[in-house]
């Protein structure tokens, strides 16, 4: 069973390293090691002088990384959101490329003890780092219906969020909800099946929402993107694979705002072109898996690869404004414009 779990097919396996590696002698980061599928492919493209530092907050992934006996490779047990701080500890402040494969890895989903999937009965954990943080069961035990409904709606895009939350709140007064099957059965008995996709289990969106919330995945992604922008050398590439719309929306907006930071300046302000913030990234490319890959690896069907290279513009201390609005609602952009006028 364990040997089977460790078999993991990376998606967009040809496209990702080809987009990422621009200099075989460079220093690269794989922020989501998983079971090392992409890391191994990146290493194949590096010269003997190249270097790859991988990150993962899953202790099992860090253990699996020991199988890579390569002097160019190093694994760090930490979330990718803290890559900038962790790299500074080993004397690295700039890198040539950064790769992120967002979401849950197949080994995590396939292990019943992790509690990520309702396909198996296991403890309701869902933490990517089992050594820290609140489990899904602990969160369900303490959150009120309003908090649960907000998470289910915002992170799971669940139409019947409040109905599910109230059902959980009612049941937990009688018995604690500690197992994946227990929660899945409760949701299945409470919510109707999706009319557009009757094969989808009613608990799918609820499980997704709880997992994202417990691991603070979207916040971690936003921090990682900002760190990546400040770490990359001019010409260095940030490549990100996402699997659902919430993640992909964040990545897409980040690249759009970084490629056109002046879009948040009100056009009525009297600024010269030279006074506007310069692009931080070149225009991003979007790559989808081929039909053949989707047939051979069903996990690839929802994957989207976006990537772009850094310009030589200094990374702003305040970071990228992902709202990218042309209205006067962005205080950071207005402050920047006033600063330019004073100059």
């Amino acid at each position: 069973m364990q040997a089977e779990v460790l078999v993991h097919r990376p998606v967009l396996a040809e496209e990702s390293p080809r987009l990422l590696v621009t200099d075989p002698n460079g220093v690269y980061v794989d922020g989501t090691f998983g079971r090392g599928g992409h890391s191994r492919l990146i290493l194949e493209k590096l010269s003997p002088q190249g270097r790859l530092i991988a990150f993962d907050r899953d202790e099992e992934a860090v253990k699996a990384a020991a199988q890579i006996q390569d002097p160019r490779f190093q694994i760090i047990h930490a979330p990718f959101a803290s890559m900038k701080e962790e790299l500074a500890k080993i004397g690295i402040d700039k890198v040539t490329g950064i790769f992120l494969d967002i979401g849950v890895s197949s080994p995590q989903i396939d292990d019943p003890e992790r509690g990520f999937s309702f396909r198996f009965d296991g403890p309701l954990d869902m933490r990517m780092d089992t050594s820290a943080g609140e489990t899904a069961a602990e969160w369900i035990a303490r959150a009120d219906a309003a908090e649960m409904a907000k998470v289910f709606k915002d992170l799971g895009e669940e139409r019947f969020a409040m109905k599910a939350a109230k059902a959980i709140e009612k049941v937990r007064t009688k018995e604690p909800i500690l197992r994946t099957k227990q929660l899945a059965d409760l949701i299945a008995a409470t919510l109707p099946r999706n009319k557009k996709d009757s094969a989808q289990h009613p608990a799918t969106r609820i499980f997704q929402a709880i997992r994202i919330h417990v691991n603070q995945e979207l916040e971690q992604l936003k921090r990682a993107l900002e760190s990546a922008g400040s770490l990359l050398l001019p010409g260095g590439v940030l490549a990100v694979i996402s699997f659902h719309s919430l993640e992909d929306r964040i990545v897409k907006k980040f690249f759009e705002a970084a490629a056109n930071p002046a879009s948040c300046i009100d056009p009525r302000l009297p600024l010269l072109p030279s006074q506007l913030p310069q692009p931080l990234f070149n225009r991003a490319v979007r790559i989808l898996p081929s039909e053949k890959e989707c047939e051979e690896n069903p996990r690839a069907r929802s994957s989207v690869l976006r990537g772009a290279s850094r310009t030589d513009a200094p990374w702003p201390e305040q970071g990228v404004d992902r709202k990218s609005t042309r209205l006067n609602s962005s205080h950071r952009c207005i402050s920047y414009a006033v600063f330019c006028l004073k100059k």
Side-chain angles (χ1 to χ4, degrees):
M1 175 68 177
Q2 186 67 15
E4 183 178 344
V5 168
L6 291 176
V7 175
H8 175 63
R9 297 180 63 181
V11 303
L12 294 157
E14 294 183 9
E15 298 85 349
S16 298
R18 184 167 61 237
L19 176 65
L20 179 72
V21 180
T22 56
D23 177 6
N25 298 321
V27 177
Y28 292 85
V29 171
D30 180 353
T32 46
F33 178 79
R35 289 301 181 268
H38 286 110
S39 281
R40 290 179 173 84
L41 294 169
I42 294 169
L43 285 168
E44 289 178 2
K45 288 191 170 292
L46 300 186
S47 71
Q49 290 73 43
R51 188 175 179 186
L52 176 63
I53 298 97
F55 288 82
D56 209 296
R57 53 177 168 169
D58 187 335
E59 289 181 318
E60 293 302 314
V62 175
K63 292 177 183 177
Q67 298 175 6
I68 299 181
Q69 300 294 316
D70 190 320
R72 302 171 299 168
F73 175 78
Q74 179 179 354
I75 182 75
I76 296 176
H77 182 206
F80 56 40
S82 62
M83 70 172 81
K84 186 174 182 179
E85 296 78 10
E86 294 297 328
L87 289 172
K89 293 178 182 178
I90 58 174
I92 297 176
D93 59 2
K94 291 294 178 182
V95 299
T96 317
I98 297 174
F99 174 74
L100 304 175
D101 180 3
I102 310 302
V104 186
S105 68
S106 297
Q108 289 172 324
I109 294 174
D110 294 339
D111 185 353
E113 293 302 309
R114 304 300 297 273
F116 285 108
S117 174
F118 48 77
R119 291 190 293 120
F120 317 100
D121 184 33
L124 203 53
D125 193 316
M126 295 195 192
R127 292 172 300 166
M128 291 184 178
D129 183 353
T130 56
S131 67
E134 185 177 46
T135 67
E138 290 169 342
W139 177 72
I140 286 175
R142 69 158 182 82
D144 59 25
E147 181 182 344
M148 285 190 285
K150 179 172 174 54
V151 168
F152 299 161
K153 181 179 180 181
D154 293 350
L155 304 182
E157 300 176 301
E158 173 56 62
R159 290 174 55 204
F160 303 99
M162 183 55 76
K163 187 175 183 180
K166 288 184 175 179
I168 292 172
E169 193 174 51
K170 181 179 179 180
V171 168
R172 76 184 184 191
T173 61
K174 302 175 183 178
E175 60 177 346
I177 300 173
L178 304 174
R179 309 285 295 183
T180 54
K181 186 176 186 302
Q182 184 184 8
L183 177 60
D185 290 347
L186 168 59
I187 299 301
T190 304
L191 303 186
R193 283 193 174 269
N194 189 332
K195 293 181 180 180
K196 296 182 180 179
D197 185 4
S198 59
Q200 185 184 80
H201 193 287
T204 300
R205 295 177 181 272
I206 300 296
F207 267 65
Q208 171 187 296
I210 295 174
R211 188 205 81 218
I212 293 174
H213 175 72
V214 165
N215 294 290
Q216 295 294 293
E217 291 178 34
L218 301 188
E219 290 76 9
Q220 291 275 322
L221 174 57
K222 292 173 185 177
R223 285 181 55 198
L225 293 174
E226 291 287 354
S227 293
S230 64
L231 284 166
L232 283 169
L233 290 164
V237 172
L238 170 60
V240 186
I241 296 178
S242 56
F243 288 88
H244 64 71
S245 59
L246 293 175
E247 301 163 346
D248 187 51
R249 193 177 303 132
I250 290 172
V251 176
K252 178 182 177 182
K253 287 184 177 296
F254 171 82
F255 277 132
E256 287 177 347
N260 188 20
S263 65
C264 65
I265 302 292
D266 191 318
R268 294 169 295 182
L269 291 172
L271 295 175
L272 296 172
S274 61
Q275 293 175 309
L276 295 174
Q278 298 303 302
L280 303 166
F281 272 92
N282 293 306
R283 187 174 179 179
V285 297
R286 175 175 174 265
I287 301 173
L288 300 177
S290 65
E291 291 185 10
K292 180 181 179 182
E293 180 176 6
C294 290
E295 291 175 359
E296 296 176 350
N297 184 8
R299 182 174 178 261
R301 291 173 185 167
S302 60
S303 63
V304 180
L305 170 63
R306 295 184 188 271
S309 59
R310 270 285 273 130
T311 66
D312 58 4
W315 194 257
E317 292 184 7
Q318 73 273 21
V320 171
D321 183 0
R322 281 175 293 273
K323 293 180 180 179
S324 191
T325 174
R326 298 185 70 86
L327 302 177
N328 276 331
S329 59
S330 175
H331 299 298
R332 285 187 292 183
C333 289
I334 293 174
S335 297
Y336 183 89
V338 171
F339 169 76
C340 290
L341 285 170
K342 287 181 179 179
K343 289 178 68 179

